Amino acid sequence: MPTLVFGPGDRDGYTLRKVAELRLTLAFECRNCRKIAQEDILELIEKHGLAAKLGDLRRRAKCTRCNRRAADILLRQPGVRGDKAWRPHPPRATRD
Ligand SMILES: [Zn+2]
């Protein structure tokens, strides 16, 4: 089973190229209302370029439900089933 190492702050430094190379699925989770927005990596690359960093996208991402800019980035690795595939946590797994 492939294991990726995600440090707490690492995700913000990932480029879209790296996400695509690792075949990760990317989703934004709203820290305010927990809405999940799954993103198409190819569309993101087309819009922002291969060198765009996740941290920049995260700061700009606006929730379509509550309109807040409070996105968290969730990454899902391929070939792993269930909740364990998600880093840093599966969708809706945290509560404030
Ligand atoms: Zn929201």
Side-chain angles (χ1 to χ4, degrees):
M1 182 184 295
T3 306
L4 300 173
V5 180
F6 293 99
D10 289 347
R11 288 165 296 142
D12 276 359
Y14 277 34
T15 58
L16 290 180
R17 176 193 293 275
K18 186 162 180 180
V19 173
E21 279 173 358
L22 293 172
R23 296 188 296 124
L24 303 175
T25 303
L26 189 149
F28 290 108
E29 182 180 59
C30 177
R31 286 200 301 268
N32 183 52
C33 72
R34 303 290 171 203
K35 181 183 163 58
I36 297 281
Q38 195 144 316
E39 300 290 332
D40 186 308
I41 188 69
L42 292 178
E43 267 175 38
L44 288 177
I45 288 171
E46 204 171 275
K47 226 191 278 182
H48 304 283
L50 281 168
K53 292 215 167 74
L54 294 189
D56 296 328
L57 301 182
R58 181 176 62 76
R59 279 185 283 272
R60 259 181 279 165
K62 198 178 190 183
C63 180
T64 54
R65 183 196 284 158
C66 72
N67 247 13
R68 296 268 189 92
R69 281 202 171 84
D72 235 346
I73 285 176
L74 305 182
L75 294 170
R76 188 185 193 289
Q77 51 179 315
V80 180
R81 281 200 201 176
D83 286 354
K84 273 186 294 201
W86 290 93
R87 294 289 184 281
H89 58 77
R92 296 172 192 278
T94 58
R95 296 286 181 270
D96 291 331

